[in-house]
Amino acid sequence: GAGVSQSPSNKVTEKGKDVELRCDPISGHTALYWYRQRLGQGLEFLIYFQGNSAPDKSGLPSDRFSAERTGESVSTLTIQRTQQEDSAVYLCASSLEGITDTQYFGPGTRLTVL
Amino acid sequence: EDKVVQSPLSLVVHEGDTVTLNCSYEVTNFRSLLWYKQEKKAPTFLFMLTSSGIEKKSGRLSSILDKKELFSILNITATQTGDSAIYLCAVEATGNQFYFGTGTSLTVIP
């Protein structure tokens, strides 16, 4: 069956540009998560959606980061005025119900800010 | 098709037992294997393994990678109720692509 998909798989952008990353969760999964992983480091939690609302945005590193989810399905993570320190792999995961369920991860989007 | 398979899917043990969790993979352009403990919203990083045969240890947890047989194990000795969690294995391929297993759910009974 279809798993979590993310697009693009790779994105190279110039400092100061905006980027939009997309996540398609597993159909029927109500919870969706965004993480950031820098080279050699663990997962950094960014934001969590339950349905279309985000009860926990505590991990967003700055106001340049925002995310939305529509139709309890696809989510987009937007980074405005990208900086070099934003370079990382952005991972999306979904789970059937809530935060105690197994999370299924997508392959990630590798973002490189030049 | 690249994939990561974890076993068992779930495990129930008593406090004090030792457990071994397995992670096998078929991933081209392997770069590293990572273990995470997932209790709440965000998995907590445990280990990153890149070389075969070198055990990594942290307290009661240890892990080792076999790049020839394409698997890793995570050992937890003298388990405690606080070890109850889902343990995730992930393989990073070159190009920063990640492949996650579906996890092993560990329950430690007092």
Side-chain angles (χ1 to χ4, degrees), chain A residues 79-98:
Chain A
I79 309 173
Q80 295 177 306
R81 305 181 302 282
T82 51
Q83 303 292 313
Q84 287 184 330
E85 68 257 25
D86 299 335
S87 296
V89 175
Y90 289 82
L91 286 154
C92 173
S94 70
S95 65
L96 185 60
E97 293 186 352

PDB file of all heavy atoms in Angstrom, chain A residues 79-98:
ATOM      1  N   ILE A  79       9.107  27.566   4.366  1.00  0.00           N
ATOM      2  CA  ILE A  79      10.215  28.278   5.001  1.00  0.00           C
ATOM      3  C   ILE A  79      10.435  29.555   4.184  1.00  0.00           C
ATOM      4  O   ILE A  79      10.735  29.494   2.993  1.00  0.00           O
ATOM      5  CB  ILE A  79      11.506  27.446   5.030  1.00  0.00           C
ATOM      6  CG1 ILE A  79      11.251  26.059   5.612  1.00  0.00           C
ATOM      7  CG2 ILE A  79      12.575  28.171   5.853  1.00  0.00           C
ATOM      8  CD1 ILE A  79      12.439  25.124   5.515  1.00  0.00           C
ATOM      9  N   GLN A  80      10.265  30.677   4.843  1.00  0.00           N
ATOM     10  CA  GLN A  80      10.441  31.967   4.158  1.00  0.00           C
ATOM     11  C   GLN A  80      11.853  32.481   4.385  1.00  0.00           C
ATOM     12  O   GLN A  80      12.481  32.206   5.420  1.00  0.00           O
ATOM     13  CB  GLN A  80       9.430  32.979   4.704  1.00  0.00           C
ATOM     14  CG  GLN A  80       7.988  32.611   4.408  1.00  0.00           C
ATOM     15  CD  GLN A  80       7.011  33.607   5.021  1.00  0.00           C
ATOM     16  OE1 GLN A  80       7.061  33.884   6.219  1.00  0.00           O
ATOM     17  NE2 GLN A  80       6.147  34.159   4.201  1.00  0.00           N
ATOM     18  N   ARG A  81      12.336  33.201   3.420  1.00  0.00           N
ATOM     19  CA  ARG A  81      13.651  33.859   3.520  1.00  0.00           C
ATOM     20  C   ARG A  81      14.691  32.870   4.051  1.00  0.00           C
ATOM     21  O   ARG A  81      15.319  33.068   5.085  1.00  0.00           O
ATOM     22  CB  ARG A  81      13.565  35.086   4.430  1.00  0.00           C
ATOM     23  CG  ARG A  81      12.498  36.083   4.001  1.00  0.00           C
ATOM     24  CD  ARG A  81      12.451  37.296   4.912  1.00  0.00           C
ATOM     25  NE  ARG A  81      12.210  36.959   6.306  1.00  0.00           N
ATOM     26  CZ  ARG A  81      11.034  36.650   6.826  1.00  0.00           C
ATOM     27  NH1 ARG A  81       9.968  36.619   6.054  1.00  0.00           N
ATOM     28  NH2 ARG A  81      10.916  36.376   8.112  1.00  0.00           N
ATOM     29  N   THR A  82      14.863  31.790   3.317  1.00  0.00           N
ATOM     30  CA  THR A  82      15.719  30.699   3.787  1.00  0.00           C
ATOM     31  C   THR A  82      17.119  31.191   4.126  1.00  0.00           C
ATOM     32  O   THR A  82      17.668  32.115   3.499  1.00  0.00           O
ATOM     33  CB  THR A  82      15.824  29.590   2.732  1.00  0.00           C
ATOM     34  OG1 THR A  82      16.180  30.172   1.471  1.00  0.00           O
ATOM     35  CG2 THR A  82      14.527  28.823   2.612  1.00  0.00           C
ATOM     36  N   GLN A  83      17.678  30.529   5.137  1.00  0.00           N
ATOM     37  CA  GLN A  83      19.044  30.784   5.578  1.00  0.00           C
ATOM     38  C   GLN A  83      19.846  29.494   5.409  1.00  0.00           C
ATOM     39  O   GLN A  83      19.274  28.406   5.328  1.00  0.00           O
ATOM     40  CB  GLN A  83      19.050  31.185   7.056  1.00  0.00           C
ATOM     41  CG  GLN A  83      18.189  32.391   7.371  1.00  0.00           C
ATOM     42  CD  GLN A  83      18.746  33.650   6.763  1.00  0.00           C
ATOM     43  OE1 GLN A  83      19.936  33.920   6.877  1.00  0.00           O
ATOM     44  NE2 GLN A  83      17.891  34.431   6.099  1.00  0.00           N
ATOM     45  N   GLN A  84      21.159  29.624   5.420  1.00  0.00           N
ATOM     46  CA  GLN A  84      21.992  28.432   5.233  1.00  0.00           C
ATOM     47  C   GLN A  84      21.776  27.412   6.342  1.00  0.00           C
ATOM     48  O   GLN A  84      21.855  26.200   6.094  1.00  0.00           O
ATOM     49  CB  GLN A  84      23.463  28.828   5.126  1.00  0.00           C
ATOM     50  CG  GLN A  84      23.780  29.486   3.786  1.00  0.00           C
ATOM     51  CD  GLN A  84      25.244  29.807   3.618  1.00  0.00           C
ATOM     52  OE1 GLN A  84      25.944  30.081   4.598  1.00  0.00           O
ATOM     53  NE2 GLN A  84      25.707  29.816   2.383  1.00  0.00           N
ATOM     54  N   GLU A  85      21.489  27.890   7.540  1.00  0.00           N
ATOM     55  CA  GLU A  85      21.278  26.935   8.634  1.00  0.00           C
ATOM     56  C   GLU A  85      19.987  26.141   8.488  1.00  0.00           C
ATOM     57  O   GLU A  85      19.742  25.206   9.255  1.00  0.00           O
ATOM     58  CB  GLU A  85      21.293  27.634  10.004  1.00  0.00           C
ATOM     59  CG  GLU A  85      20.119  28.558  10.256  1.00  0.00           C
ATOM     60  CD  GLU A  85      20.472  30.019  10.114  1.00  0.00           C
ATOM     61  OE1 GLU A  85      21.434  30.328   9.388  1.00  0.00           O
ATOM     62  OE2 GLU A  85      19.785  30.843  10.735  1.00  0.00           O
ATOM     63  N   ASP A  86      19.148  26.515   7.522  1.00  0.00           N
ATOM     64  CA  ASP A  86      17.937  25.737   7.268  1.00  0.00           C
ATOM     65  C   ASP A  86      18.243  24.460   6.473  1.00  0.00           C
ATOM     66  O   ASP A  86      17.381  23.593   6.331  1.00  0.00           O
ATOM     67  CB  ASP A  86      16.909  26.563   6.473  1.00  0.00           C
ATOM     68  CG  ASP A  86      16.458  27.812   7.205  1.00  0.00           C
ATOM     69  OD1 ASP A  86      16.529  27.828   8.462  1.00  0.00           O
ATOM     70  OD2 ASP A  86      16.051  28.770   6.535  1.00  0.00           O
ATOM     71  N   SER A  87      19.441  24.353   5.953  1.00  0.00           N
ATOM     72  CA  SER A  87      19.816  23.165   5.170  1.00  0.00           C
ATOM     73  C   SER A  87      19.729  21.929   6.061  1.00  0.00           C
ATOM     74  O   SER A  87      20.349  21.873   7.124  1.00  0.00           O
ATOM     75  CB  SER A  87      21.236  23.307   4.627  1.00  0.00           C
ATOM     76  OG  SER A  87      21.323  24.377   3.717  1.00  0.00           O
ATOM     77  N   ALA A  88      18.955  20.967   5.633  1.00  0.00           N
ATOM     78  CA  ALA A  88      18.703  19.764   6.437  1.00  0.00           C
ATOM     79  C   ALA A  88      17.805  18.848   5.625  1.00  0.00           C
ATOM     80  O   ALA A  88      17.378  19.194   4.522  1.00  0.00           O
ATOM     81  CB  ALA A  88      18.016  20.122   7.747  1.00  0.00           C
ATOM     82  N   VAL A  89      17.541  17.696   6.199  1.00  0.00           N
ATOM     83  CA  VAL A  89      16.498  16.831   5.639  1.00  0.00           C
ATOM     84  C   VAL A  89      15.232  17.054   6.455  1.00  0.00           C
ATOM     85  O   VAL A  89      15.262  17.019   7.683  1.00  0.00           O
ATOM     86  CB  VAL A  89      16.902  15.346   5.702  1.00  0.00           C
ATOM     87  CG1 VAL A  89      15.757  14.463   5.225  1.00  0.00           C
ATOM     88  CG2 VAL A  89      18.142  15.110   4.868  1.00  0.00           C
ATOM     89  N   TYR A  90      14.148  17.326   5.769  1.00  0.00           N
ATOM     90  CA  TYR A  90      12.865  17.553   6.424  1.00  0.00           C
ATOM     91  C   TYR A  90      12.027  16.292   6.245  1.00  0.00           C
ATOM     92  O   TYR A  90      11.727  15.883   5.128  1.00  0.00           O
ATOM     93  CB  TYR A  90      12.183  18.791   5.845  1.00  0.00           C
ATOM     94  CG  TYR A  90      12.905  20.040   6.277  1.00  0.00           C
ATOM     95  CD1 TYR A  90      14.047  20.472   5.598  1.00  0.00           C
ATOM     96  CD2 TYR A  90      12.506  20.750   7.397  1.00  0.00           C
ATOM     97  CE1 TYR A  90      14.761  21.589   6.016  1.00  0.00           C
ATOM     98  CE2 TYR A  90      13.198  21.873   7.823  1.00  0.00           C
ATOM     99  CZ  TYR A  90      14.332  22.274   7.128  1.00  0.00           C
ATOM    100  OH  TYR A  90      15.035  23.374   7.556  1.00  0.00           O
ATOM    101  N   LEU A  91      11.685  15.685   7.374  1.00  0.00           N
ATOM    102  CA  LEU A  91      10.959  14.421   7.369  1.00  0.00           C
ATOM    103  C   LEU A  91       9.530  14.642   7.835  1.00  0.00           C
ATOM    104  O   LEU A  91       9.278  15.415   8.755  1.00  0.00           O
ATOM    105  CB  LEU A  91      11.641  13.414   8.296  1.00  0.00           C
ATOM    106  CG  LEU A  91      12.942  12.829   7.757  1.00  0.00           C
ATOM    107  CD1 LEU A  91      13.841  12.386   8.886  1.00  0.00           C
ATOM    108  CD2 LEU A  91      12.662  11.659   6.848  1.00  0.00           C
ATOM    109  N   CYS A  92       8.642  13.935   7.189  1.00  0.00           N
ATOM    110  CA  CYS A  92       7.231  13.963   7.558  1.00  0.00           C
ATOM    111  C   CYS A  92       6.834  12.559   7.999  1.00  0.00           C
ATOM    112  O   CYS A  92       7.346  11.565   7.458  1.00  0.00           O
ATOM    113  CB  CYS A  92       6.412  14.399   6.352  1.00  0.00           C
ATOM    114  SG  CYS A  92       4.632  14.307   6.577  1.00  0.00           S
ATOM    115  N   ALA A  93       5.961  12.482   8.953  1.00  0.00           N
ATOM    116  CA  ALA A  93       5.447  11.192   9.406  1.00  0.00           C
ATOM    117  C   ALA A  93       3.958  11.319   9.659  1.00  0.00           C
ATOM    118  O   ALA A  93       3.452  12.420   9.902  1.00  0.00           O
ATOM    119  CB  ALA A  93       6.163  10.729  10.675  1.00  0.00           C
ATOM    120  N   SER A  94       3.255  10.211   9.608  1.00  0.00           N
ATOM    121  CA  SER A  94       1.840  10.227   9.964  1.00  0.00           C
ATOM    122  C   SER A  94       1.533   9.030  10.845  1.00  0.00           C
ATOM    123  O   SER A  94       2.246   8.021  10.816  1.00  0.00           O
ATOM    124  CB  SER A  94       0.941  10.227   8.719  1.00  0.00           C
ATOM    125  OG  SER A  94       0.981   8.985   8.038  1.00  0.00           O
ATOM    126  N   SER A  95       0.499   9.174  11.642  1.00  0.00           N
ATOM    127  CA  SER A  95       0.048   8.060  12.466  1.00  0.00           C
ATOM    128  C   SER A  95      -1.464   8.024  12.441  1.00  0.00           C
ATOM    129  O   SER A  95      -2.126   9.021  12.173  1.00  0.00           O
ATOM    130  CB  SER A  95       0.581   8.157  13.894  1.00  0.00           C
ATOM    131  OG  SER A  95       0.078   9.279  14.559  1.00  0.00           O
ATOM    132  N   LEU A  96      -2.001   6.863  12.762  1.00  0.00           N
ATOM    133  CA  LEU A  96      -3.430   6.636  12.579  1.00  0.00           C
ATOM    134  C   LEU A  96      -4.274   7.591  13.419  1.00  0.00           C
ATOM    135  O   LEU A  96      -5.214   8.188  12.918  1.00  0.00           O
ATOM    136  CB  LEU A  96      -3.764   5.183  12.933  1.00  0.00           C
ATOM    137  CG  LEU A  96      -5.205   4.743  12.680  1.00  0.00           C
ATOM    138  CD1 LEU A  96      -5.563   4.901  11.204  1.00  0.00           C
ATOM    139  CD2 LEU A  96      -5.392   3.286  13.093  1.00  0.00           C
ATOM    140  N   GLU A  97      -3.920   7.698  14.691  1.00  0.00           N
ATOM    141  CA  GLU A  97      -4.760   8.514  15.559  1.00  0.00           C
ATOM    142  C   GLU A  97      -3.973   9.637  16.221  1.00  0.00           C
ATOM    143  O   GLU A  97      -4.108  10.789  15.856  1.00  0.00           O
ATOM    144  CB  GLU A  97      -5.450   7.625  16.594  1.00  0.00           C
ATOM    145  CG  GLU A  97      -6.452   6.687  15.947  1.00  0.00           C
ATOM    146  CD  GLU A  97      -7.251   5.885  16.948  1.00  0.00           C
ATOM    147  OE1 GLU A  97      -6.937   5.939  18.155  1.00  0.00           O
ATOM    148  OE2 GLU A  97      -8.204   5.198  16.511  1.00  0.00           O
ATOM    149  N   GLY A  98      -3.157   9.298  17.183  1.00  0.00           N
ATOM    150  CA  GLY A  98      -2.512  10.378  17.904  1.00  0.00           C
ATOM    151  C   GLY A  98      -1.067  10.106  18.195  1.00  0.00           C
ATOM    152  O   GLY A  98      -0.448   9.224  17.613  1.00  0.00           O
TER     153      GLY A  98
END
